[in-house]
Amino acid sequence: MRGAEVNRKTNETDIRMTLNLDGGTREISTGIGFFDHMMTAFAVHGGFGLSLDVKGDLEVDCHHTIEDVGIVLGKVIAEAVGDKRGIARFGSCLLPMDETLAECVLDISGRPYFVINGAETLQIGSVGGFDCCMAEEFFRAVAMNSGLTLHLNIRYGRNAHHIIEAMFKAFARALKQAVVISGNDILSSKGTL
């Protein structure tokens, strides 16, 4: 089974995360109910095993907790894919959720880059203690710390819960495609990623 564990402690957060790309149990506790729901959706729709325990400075707000989980998820993804030998490398998903349509396209390239379109609908408001603007911060942190080229497009939607959940599920399904073992080569003309 391909997996990794990362522990990260700062003055703002204490995070323990284990990710298994090939499945396993799921135990998630971030202190933010909606974020637990999103991380569970990520694990379920990606077919990943995920253990996540977070102690964050929620008395300040949710920012440090959500962004730092993104940092750790990025690091654990990078460690779990290793030298990237044999993986499909690319993944994409166009995912509907009621009135929302979200798209994720990614490349496990080793070159971190993040693009998001349509996030202006998420700049205000919150869902269950999760500030909507943090969705963008979370995915940026994942991309920068995993070496993913990550493009997220919110094609349309009105309900913030649906938009954010569609983003997490689309990301999970695209990542699931990209980490599939499809051979023994490193898919790069350079011979390395």
Side-chain angles (χ1 to χ4, degrees):
M1 303 257 291
R2 298 169 299 151
E5 180 177 349
V6 172
N7 300 321
R8 181 177 189 266
K9 184 172 180 158
T10 70
N11 291 334
E12 298 166 340
T13 59
D14 185 357
I15 301 171
R16 300 179 197 304
M17 183 185 297
T18 304
L19 176 69
N20 191 315
L21 297 175
D22 300 311
T25 60
R26 299 171 185 112
E27 298 177 22
I28 296 162
S29 176
T30 67
I32 304 166
F34 182 74
F35 195 30
D36 289 354
H37 178 43
M38 292 303 95
M39 293 303 293
T40 300
F42 163 76
V44 168
H45 289 272
F48 307 132
L50 181 63
S51 174
L52 174 59
D53 184 53
V54 183
K55 306 282 185 288
D57 59 354
L58 296 178
E59 71 281 0
V60 175
D61 70 5
C62 66
H63 189 112
H64 301 138
T65 296
I66 295 168
E67 183 175 37
D68 288 7
V69 169
I71 291 169
V72 174
L73 181 59
K75 291 179 183 300
V76 84
I77 290 169
E79 192 174 324
V81 297
D83 69 358
K84 305 171 190 74
R85 179 169 301 281
I87 64 168
R89 180 177 166 181
F90 300 96
S92 64
C93 180
L94 189 59
L95 192 131
M97 185 163 183
D98 296 344
E99 86 297 342
T100 296
L101 187 63
E103 177 183 36
C104 178
V105 181
L106 61 82
D107 175 10
I108 304 177
S109 62
R111 294 183 311 277
Y113 203 89
F114 179 64
V115 175
I116 188 167
N117 292 301
E120 52 278 348
T121 59
L122 297 175
Q123 295 312 304
I124 57 170
S126 65
V127 180
F130 183 105
D131 292 345
C132 295
C133 63
M134 289 309 301
E136 182 174 348
E137 297 303 320
F138 172 81
F139 286 110
R140 179 179 292 110
V142 172
M144 294 302 120
N145 287 277
S146 62
L148 290 177
T149 297
L150 175 61
H151 292 248
L152 286 168
N153 296 301
I154 303 164
R155 293 208 180 175
Y156 45 81
R158 290 183 305 277
N159 181 299
H161 183 132
H162 296 163
I163 293 168
I164 295 167
E165 188 165 345
M167 291 166 67
F168 272 82
K169 288 177 178 177
F171 172 65
R173 294 187 64 83
L175 185 62
K176 180 180 183 176
Q177 283 180 12
V179 300
V180 164
I181 299 297
S182 62
N184 194 39
D185 295 327
I186 294 176
L187 290 180
S188 172
S189 58
K190 294 184 281 257
T192 186
L193 286 170

